Amino acid sequence: ANQTTLTPAELEEYFAFIGYDGPHTPTLDTLRGIVWAHITKVPFNNLDVLLRKTFHVHLPDVFEKIVRAGRGGYCFEQNGLLYSVLTTLGFTAKVCLARVLLHSAPGDPASPRTHACIILDIDGEQVLADVSFGGSLPTSPLHLILNEEQPTPHGPLYRFVPRQSGWYGLQGLQESGAWRDLYEFDLVPSLPCDWELHNWYTSTYPEGSLYNRLVVARVTRDGHRITLLNTTLRTRSPAGDVETREITSHEELAQVLRDHFHLELPAGARLAAPVFDAAPPGPAS
């Protein structure tokens, strides 16, 4: 259950799946290339949660689901897999657990740690990599430097701000010009047994965000961000133009998942959450 590295054959299989043919040396350029190839191939989604399937985040299970079955996943799966890829290549990395702030207002009670991100030490500098944060993920690694605006390919600016003692907050710049809190984390490393516990909570807690609404997202190779929140399909171009469309049936939903995210719903499957009569969700990014 605690396997965290890939065999050479598995590593090649992963690179072939995401379409990465760059260097394998543990450098920032290598990391950038792998992150971009991964996020433009692997869709974020919580379909297994809404299908009420029990799933684990052990590396063999995640490798089978993401690479061999092409079903994508969410943060504990995708960032767990990327962590294994990076450590196999010789990167110095750790997985840190984060509190999501996307839907929190100042003064709200703290939320549990339902997100996982990767912190690396590259040439003495700390860098964050995250390939699985819905429609708001940074499309390239970010230097863990406070109060410095950092651009990303086809994407908005990001910055880290100081939070409570020893914690960092990640913010993204919105089209409105306002900075939005995304999540906060400290630098304490976590272990696969921690990911399993947090995955269990995130995927089964009845009042959890990902238990009650559908979230699917991907970035295209030309930089479009496509997100599906319950029944609202939203496409944002690199220039910031936004198109939205409402989905009105399970059949249309299955077609959208197939056409836009390359995901197949099992035949006859119905999602457990009330996707078609839920209140309109908040923005994805």
Side-chain angles (χ1 to χ4, degrees):
N2 283 329
Q3 176 193 348
T4 56
T5 55
L6 300 174
T7 66
E10 288 170 334
L11 193 62
E12 290 307 318
E13 189 177 351
Y14 168 78
F15 285 144
F17 174 69
I18 65 170
Y20 176 76
D21 57 5
H24 293 187
T25 46
T27 66
L28 186 57
D29 281 344
T30 298
L31 179 63
R32 282 195 189 102
I34 293 171
V35 165
W36 178 252
H38 183 112
I39 65 173
T40 53
K41 175 64 177 180
V42 184
F44 177 97
N45 73 88
N46 65 330
L47 286 173
D48 278 358
V49 178
L50 296 192
L51 292 168
R52 300 300 185 243
K53 293 175 71 168
T54 298
F55 59 98
H56 297 281
V57 292
H58 308 315
L59 179 57
D61 294 22
V62 169
F63 192 89
E64 187 68 31
K65 176 181 176 179
I66 293 177
V67 179
R68 293 186 174 145
R71 291 169 45 225
Y74 70 176
C75 65
F76 294 107
E77 299 169 294
Q78 291 203 42
N79 282 329
L81 175 60
L82 180 63
Y83 167 79
S84 296
V85 169
L86 297 175
T87 53
T88 302
L89 291 177
F91 282 92
T92 301
K94 59 187 176 183
V95 174
C96 297
L97 299 175
R99 305 187 196 280
V100 177
L101 303 174
L102 266 176
H103 310 293
S104 301
D108 281 358
S111 60
R113 300 191 195 209
T114 56
H115 184 56
C117 57
I118 302 170
I119 301 296
L120 303 100
D121 187 316
I122 301 177
D123 298 328
E125 290 191 21
Q126 290 186 305
V127 175
L128 176 139
D130 188 345
V131 293
S132 196
F133 193 61
S136 301
L137 87 167
T139 54
S140 65
L142 300 171
H143 293 279
L144 194 57
I145 301 168
L146 290 174
N147 301 314
E148 183 174 299
E149 297 179 4
Q150 300 184 54
T152 53
H154 306 295
L157 295 171
Y158 292 84
R159 71 180 182 187
F160 294 103
V161 294
R163 307 288 294 186
Q164 61 270 33
S165 177
W167 284 62
Y168 294 81
L170 177 62
Q171 297 182 329
L173 187 64
Q174 306 302 289
E175 286 106 335
S176 65
W179 288 95
R180 185 179 189 194
D181 289 323
L182 302 178
Y183 55 81
E184 63 179 8
F185 59 95
D186 62 6
L187 300 179
V188 176
S190 62
L191 299 173
C193 56
D194 301 315
W195 316 340
E196 193 67 22
L197 180 138
H198 288 269
N199 172 66
W200 176 260
Y201 171 90
T202 302
S203 63
T204 63
Y205 180 55
E207 294 175 31
S209 169
L210 290 178
Y211 191 82
N212 289 301
R213 63 180 194 158
L214 176 63
V215 185
V216 191
R218 68 180 284 249
V219 179
T220 66
R221 296 266 167 175
D222 60 2
H224 287 73
R225 288 183 186 245
I226 309 172
T227 54
L228 177 63
L229 284 168
N230 282 338
T231 58
T232 303
L233 180 69
R234 181 175 183 264
T235 303
R236 188 176 72 208
S237 75
D241 301 315
V242 176
E243 293 180 15
T244 58
R245 165 185 161 193
E246 282 299 316
I247 296 161
T248 57
S249 70
H250 279 283
E251 292 71 27
E252 187 182 2
L253 174 64
Q255 193 66 46
V256 164
L257 288 171
R258 189 177 300 121
D259 292 347
H260 292 277
F261 303 100
H262 313 304
L263 293 169
E264 289 286 340
L265 270 181
R270 288 291 184 267
L271 302 178
V275 169
F276 287 97
D277 55 12
S285 58

